[in-house]
Amino acid sequence: MSAVVAGASAPVATTTRRPRGGLFRAILRNRKAVVGAALLLLFILLAAFPGLFVPSAHHDPQAIGDLPLQHPSGSHWLGTTGLGQDVYAQLIYSTRESLVIAVVAGLGATILSVIIGVSAAYLGGFADDGLSMLTDIFLVLPTFPLIIVLATYAGKGNLTVIIIVLILTGWSYGARQMRAQALSLRNRDFLESARVRGERSSYIIVVEVLPTMISLIVANFLGAALYSVLTAAGLQFLGLGDPNSLSWGTMLYWAQNQGALVNGLPAWALSPGLAVALLGVSFALLNYAFDEISNPALRPVRRRRARSAS
Amino acid sequence: MRYLIRRLGFFVLTLWAAMTLNFFIPRMMPGSPEQALRERFSKGGSVVTPEQLRTVLAEFGFDPGKNLMLQYLEYLKSMVTGHWGVSIGSSLGAPVTSLIGSALPWTLGLVGIATVLAFVLGTLIGTVAGWRRGGLIDGIVPPVFIVTSALPYFWVALLLISLFAIGSNPILPNDFNYDQGLTPGFSGEFIWSVVKHGILPASTILVTAVGGWILTMRNNMVTTLAEDYVRMARAKGIPGRKIMFGYAGRNAFLPNLSGFAMSLGFVISGTILVEYVFNYPGLGYMFYNATVSTDYPLLQALFLLVTLAVLICVLLCDFAVFLLDPRARTKG
């Protein structure tokens, strides 16, 4: 079964345990990580204190104004919607829901992949066969169509449903990676000694195995969050979200619905998409940086390798 | 041989799982198709008799009086034999199979060409970037394509529309598959129209899909280049180009092949959004329409078809890896 994703980007197991603080310093030294982290920090600020970034006249982003379909101007930086709402205010206030979807769904999917992947590796035998089979099946099922089917049946617009569906469809890739790494750890000495000490399996998994997998887990969370951002925005864009909610996908839905592009208002149609893209980019940059940190072979090497290759 | 048989078993099992999901999801969820149907019909102003409703639902496989297990078996049988029922959506009463048949070629042409192109281009660029580690291309590739691979499909589509299709003199059309005034046929005018209408959606897919291939191929190359046989080839003085493609590239490419099959699933996901933005009458747009009009039979059939397509691709790639990679043969 393993052939399905064998090595699609097989993680190289980090064999040494990193000293505390090493991960943090490694992030600071990686340019991609710094850019990604800065972007993410900005979005967290926007989500936490949207009022700080919006002129006080537009503190209610849903307020219906009397100037619909305005071009960007001094009073409406990105113009107005078909109902005269301020696009810029909507954009800033939408950060929160979009970020929450990404983080919650990303966390949920990661937790599920850790549980399934690690227990498959640790239990072995029949349980492993069953869990691996389940993982492989979810891996090849086309997720976005499945999400659309689920969201349609479950009633459109329910945020909880969207998040649960994102988790259910987003865990399989990570579970496969977790299983691979946990397998490579399984027969290490420090685990053997814990077993000899008579520790329970649950203790060994939580205290001994998981800490060594931290960088893979973080990378996984970032990947799952990226997937959730893009997928949720796509769902909402198609009108399968709550049309009254404040999120980038919903903004895009209304922009498309009210013909923003045809009416010559590209700022309205493009800015929420740009926000989705930037949040996605920040996750992707961090994810890639973590790959480099946990797999030294991928780090940019400037002089030595370049010479030997030519 | 055992390897192939195992893969075939996986194929059947996954298909069965997809069909089972397809059957149980609507039955687990709140709201019933009966309700949805009644609302649909009454919205159109026509009064529907309980008999009519029951007939339509029976076509769809819903019969509240019947044993669930029996319904399930019947459903499986009709899915396998291609009796996918009739649409209960906007094209009420049309057989699902013929609806799909009319949309399929457009998606296959558009998405098929764009996906293969993205894969070939991405693999080539990735090979070169990984080979010239730290060189000019490698300096540009990772940062740029990390960014493009994180862009939402639909946003790229909107961007392209606003750049090329909107304004005082639009260069390219932004919706449909050909000029609606033309009659389909093998005329130059018609073909040109089809090509013109395909450029923007295809570019959207290309832009968002190529980055992933470049990055994975580059990383595979980098890992492969550290192998001993590459060092040995260098020591033997084999020309660089030959090592790049024949030694390292060939082996770095194999894992990508199975990734390619799986990515088709994601491309189909992307098509829904791309075809929606461009009003392109393919399967993706049909999928969208089916959700809007809660056309359960069509939705079921489309999901099954998409799953089947991905599974067939995965299976074909397994065969290809089996043929190309002696290691896979001996392992199984």
Side-chain angles (χ1 to χ4, degrees):
Chain A
M1 293 302 124
S2 57
V4 176
V5 274
S9 96
V12 174
T14 39
T15 47
T16 49
R17 291 233 227 168
R18 225 181 296 280
R20 279 198 179 282
L23 199 62
F24 187 66
R25 228 173 301 137
I27 292 174
L28 279 185
R29 240 183 285 136
N30 188 307
R31 215 182 327 156
K32 293 186 197 80
V34 171
V35 176
L39 265 175
L40 187 58
L41 201 68
L42 174 68
F43 281 117
I44 293 174
L45 274 179
L46 288 173
F49 312 107
L52 290 180
F53 299 86
V54 178
S56 52
H58 305 307
H59 270 336
D60 181 3
Q62 299 281 47
I64 292 169
D66 42 10
L67 293 169
L69 301 177
Q70 291 291 298
H71 287 277
S73 67
S75 54
H76 297 288
W77 295 347
L78 292 173
T80 60
T81 70
L83 291 174
Q85 299 148 318
D86 186 70
V87 172
Y88 174 74
Q90 289 207 331
L91 187 72
I92 300 297
Y93 276 91
S94 292
T95 312
R96 187 174 294 168
E97 190 178 310
S98 302
L99 195 63
V100 164
I101 293 176
V103 171
V104 173
L107 270 180
T110 309
I111 292 171
L112 206 58
S113 21
V114 171
I115 292 175
I116 293 183
V118 173
S119 33
Y122 200 83
L123 296 171
F126 192 66
D128 185 16
D129 287 344
L131 288 174
S132 298
M133 179 70 85
L134 191 72
T135 311
D136 283 340
I137 289 176
F138 268 88
L139 207 56
V140 292
L141 285 182
T143 43
F144 197 64
L146 180 61
I147 288 177
I148 290 184
V149 171
L150 278 168
T152 310
Y153 286 133
K156 297 165 192 177
N158 191 328
L159 190 62
T160 323
V161 170
I162 290 187
I163 289 181
I164 291 175
V165 168
L166 285 174
I167 292 174
L168 284 181
T169 53
W171 61 273
S172 53
Y173 188 74
R176 178 146 281 296
Q177 292 186 319
M178 297 295 167
R179 178 178 169 273
Q181 178 150 11
L183 266 185
S184 80
L185 288 171
R186 212 175 141 201
N187 297 319
R188 295 286 167 77
D189 287 341
F190 69 96
L191 291 185
E192 197 54 49
S193 82
R195 267 190 288 268
V196 173
R197 286 204 308 270
E199 306 287 8
R200 273 173 298 143
S201 300
S202 57
Y203 174 88
I204 296 178
I205 289 178
V206 173
V207 179
E208 302 282 349
V209 176
L210 289 187
T212 59
M213 297 172 67
I214 274 294
S215 63
L216 181 61
I217 293 174
V218 173
N220 230 289
F221 162 70
L222 293 166
L226 168 64
Y227 157 80
S228 306
V229 167
L230 295 180
T231 313
L235 267 180
Q236 290 166 333
F237 175 55
L238 287 179
L240 291 169
D242 176 0
N244 297 316
S245 73
L246 264 180
S247 68
W248 295 326
T250 308
M251 286 182 71
L252 280 161
Y253 168 71
W254 286 116
Q256 175 80 359
N257 207 311
Q258 298 173 0
L261 281 182
V262 187
N263 284 318
L265 296 168
W268 178 20
L270 294 179
S271 60
L274 185 65
V276 174
L278 282 177
L279 183 58
V281 165
S282 95
F283 285 130
L285 280 173
L286 280 170
N287 190 357
Y288 203 80
F290 264 90
D291 248 6
E292 286 183 357
I293 290 167
S294 61
N295 183 359
L298 299 178
R299 280 181 212 160
V301 184
R302 295 269 175 258
R303 270 169 304 144
R304 199 165 42 83
R305 285 290 186 86
R307 201 186 304 141
S308 69
S310 55
Chain B
M1 231 19 236
R2 262 187 57 201
Y3 169 77
L4 290 185
I5 292 171
R6 271 216 331 246
R7 299 306 302 164
L8 217 62
F10 175 70
F11 174 88
V12 174
L13 196 77
T14 311
L15 193 62
W16 168 76
M19 289 199 285
T20 306
L21 273 178
N22 230 341
F23 177 81
F24 283 105
I25 288 171
R27 284 161 179 81
M28 297 292 170
M29 294 293 181
S32 72
E34 196 179 340
Q35 183 102 31
L37 261 185
R38 188 171 288 134
E39 276 168 21
R40 270 201 66 74
F41 284 127
S42 56
K43 222 180 274 172
S46 59
V47 183
V48 114
T49 66
E51 263 87 82
Q52 283 172 311
L53 200 63
R54 216 168 298 136
T55 324
V56 176
L57 282 174
E59 285 271 2
F60 175 42
F62 266 96
D63 195 343
K66 215 193 235 166
N67 181 296
L68 195 67
M69 208 55 220
L70 222 64
Q71 283 189 52
Y72 174 59
L73 290 176
E74 259 175 36
Y75 156 84
L76 279 186
K77 191 180 143 213
S78 58
M79 280 290 130
V80 170
T81 50
H83 291 98
W84 292 349
V86 295
S87 161
I88 57 170
S90 40
S91 32
L92 190 71
V96 164
T97 35
S98 68
L99 281 176
I100 290 177
S102 65
L104 188 64
W106 293 105
T107 294
L108 275 186
L110 177 70
V111 183
I113 292 171
T115 310
V116 172
L117 212 63
F119 178 62
V120 172
L121 260 175
T123 305
L124 278 178
I125 298 175
T127 308
V128 176
W131 175 251
R132 296 200 176 271
R133 194 67 199 292
L136 185 66
I137 302 180
D138 192 38
I140 302 167
V141 158
V144 168
F145 289 103
I146 292 170
V147 171
T148 61
S149 63
L151 297 181
Y153 276 99
F154 49 91
W155 185 68
V156 175
L158 292 175
L159 190 68
L160 288 178
I161 289 181
S162 66
L163 285 180
F164 297 108
I166 301 264
S168 45
N169 53 339
I171 308 169
L172 289 164
N174 72 337
D175 56 3
F176 301 121
N177 45 353
Y178 55 86
D179 277 328
Q180 297 303 294
L182 297 173
T183 38
F186 274 103
S187 66
E189 197 188 8
F190 175 71
I191 291 170
W192 175 233
S193 170
V194 168
V195 170
K196 257 193 348 200
H197 282 78
I199 289 177
L200 285 185
S203 315
T204 305
I205 297 174
L206 202 62
V207 167
T208 41
V210 79
W213 296 122
I214 295 181
L215 292 175
T216 48
M217 189 61 194
R218 171 189 174 268
N219 285 359
N220 287 347
M221 267 306 263
V222 166
T223 322
T224 313
L225 285 177
E227 300 273 345
D228 286 337
Y229 58 81
V230 174
R231 200 165 304 150
M232 194 189 81
R234 281 205 180 116
K236 279 166 82 175
I238 292 172
R241 183 177 294 269
K242 206 171 166 194
I243 304 179
M244 174 161 86
F245 289 114
Y247 282 66
R250 190 192 147 125
N251 281 329
F253 168 74
L254 283 172
N256 264 18
L257 207 56
S258 15
F260 173 62
M262 277 184 17
S263 82
L264 281 167
F266 296 99
V267 170
I268 292 164
S269 320
T271 344
I272 297 177
L273 293 165
V274 172
E275 289 185 2
Y276 167 67
V277 177
F278 289 102
N279 284 324
Y280 201 86
L283 287 184
Y285 193 50
M286 185 173 273
F287 211 116
Y288 167 75
N289 277 333
T291 63
V292 172
S293 52
T294 45
D295 190 347
Y296 296 122
L298 187 56
L299 211 52
Q300 265 192 345
L302 282 172
F303 180 68
L304 185 72
L305 196 76
V306 168
T307 314
L308 195 65
V310 175
L311 279 175
I312 289 175
C313 292
V314 170
L315 201 64
L316 285 178
C317 279
D318 282 338
F319 286 146
V321 170
F322 183 77
L323 289 177
L324 292 172
D325 189 357
R327 287 172 297 184
R329 256 173 288 172
T330 49
K331 237 190 332 195

